[in-house]
Amino acid sequence: MGDHTTPLLKKVATYLADHENSGAADIIPGYAPPASSRPSRRIEVGGRLTLTPEVIWFTAHPLNFARSDFGIPVEEIARLDDVSSGLRKKVRITLRSGIEPTFLMWGIPRFIEAVERARSAL
């Protein structure tokens, strides 16, 4: 697979912070989850996902009001699910800890395949 920092795949993505079990409270400074199941505003952070052999890095676009750069260790991923609905193409990454960051992106089958290859190479 190459060097542990070599990018295997880069995708434009949006982190959906308001999804249940998203882990946003630990990632975004000052983030408070919505009080109801139908929040009046959504927190969606645009950026880029970069897959390396060991980590999926999310880097927020600099124009976002919420800075949420973080990494997801590939070895901590328990499951990847395509949870798309209509035109909103979404992938949910379930970690062993129960946290489920969800991302809006195109090309989900290719992304899942690349992450599965990285997981099997560990």
Side-chain angles (χ1 to χ4, degrees):
M1 302 265 336
D3 181 3
H4 72 280
T5 60
T6 303
L8 303 175
L9 183 69
K10 292 183 179 184
K11 301 286 291 177
V12 172
T14 300
Y15 173 53
L16 304 175
D18 287 337
H19 275 241
E20 190 174 344
N21 299 324
S22 71
D26 297 327
I27 297 167
I28 301 173
Y31 174 81
S36 71
S37 61
R38 297 200 60 136
S40 59
R41 69 179 177 115
R42 288 187 183 147
I43 296 183
E44 297 181 349
V45 183
R48 177 176 298 276
L49 283 175
T50 303
L51 171 65
T52 70
E54 296 180 356
V55 179
I56 300 171
W57 294 103
F58 178 76
T59 307
H61 188 277
L63 296 179
N64 287 297
F65 75 92
R67 296 298 303 170
S68 62
D69 299 350
F70 58 92
I72 300 170
V74 171
E75 66 185 17
E76 292 299 314
I77 297 172
R79 192 172 71 242
L80 293 129
D81 296 299
D82 183 341
V83 292
S84 300
S85 59
L87 293 176
R88 288 182 60 91
K89 305 300 181 191
K90 299 182 284 189
V91 63
R92 180 176 51 224
I93 303 171
T94 303
L95 304 179
R96 292 181 184 157
S97 65
I99 293 174
E100 298 176 332
T102 302
F103 297 91
L104 183 67
M105 72 168 75
W106 292 98
I108 292 171
R110 181 172 175 234
F111 175 76
I112 290 174
E113 181 182 311
V115 173
E116 292 296 349
R117 275 196 317 267
R119 286 177 62 194
S120 66
L122 289 177

